[in-house]
Each structure stands twice: as C-alpha cells, then as structure tokens.
Amino acid sequence: MTAELARLTAAQAKADEIIRTVGESPDGPLLLRVSVTDTATRQRLATGFVNYTTDQPAAPLRLVEVTS
C-alpha cells in the first residue's frame, strides 16, 4: 500500500467514525447536515445529519473551521 493510499484509507475510516458518533436519523424539520471533507483532496468523505430543536426561529448558519 502506498503512503497516499494509506493516508486516504485512514482519513476515510476517521470520517466514518465521526459521522457514526454524531449522526442521527433524519427526523423532524430542523436538521444540520454534517460533512467531513479531506482538505488535501477536497473530497467529501462522509455526510450525516444531526437533529436540533429551538424555541427561536432558525438563525442563518455559518461555516466553522475546526483545526487541531
């Protein structure tokens, strides 16, 4: 296995783990779509949904970049 293939395989496994951890069954009108993207290739590796509720009208969403 090449180094790049090993990196992509590890990235895919981590993306799947993240979505399994936070993802929920789409249920209800208020959903957030959560995507995991490989920043090196700009390829979307996984997508899931998170439900939320609020007493207030939905506010505009903004992009949040998480770095470690």
Side-chain angles (χ1 to χ4, degrees):
M1 180 180 298
T2 68
E4 181 61 10
L5 182 56
R7 187 193 73 76
L8 290 172
T9 301
Q12 183 67 62
K14 187 63 173 182
D16 292 343
E17 176 187 339
I18 290 167
I19 293 301
R20 274 193 308 273
T21 301
V22 301
E24 302 171 336
S25 297
D27 183 29
L30 301 175
L31 296 172
L32 297 175
R33 183 175 62 189
V34 179
S35 297
V36 179
T37 303
D38 183 337
T39 58
T41 63
R42 298 180 187 254
Q43 178 180 356
R44 186 181 311 162
L45 300 175
T47 302
F49 293 93
V50 178
N51 302 297
Y52 70 98
T53 59
T54 180
D55 295 335
Q56 304 296 320
L61 300 178
R62 61 186 173 79
L63 177 65
V64 176
E65 182 176 339
V66 178
T67 58
S68 52

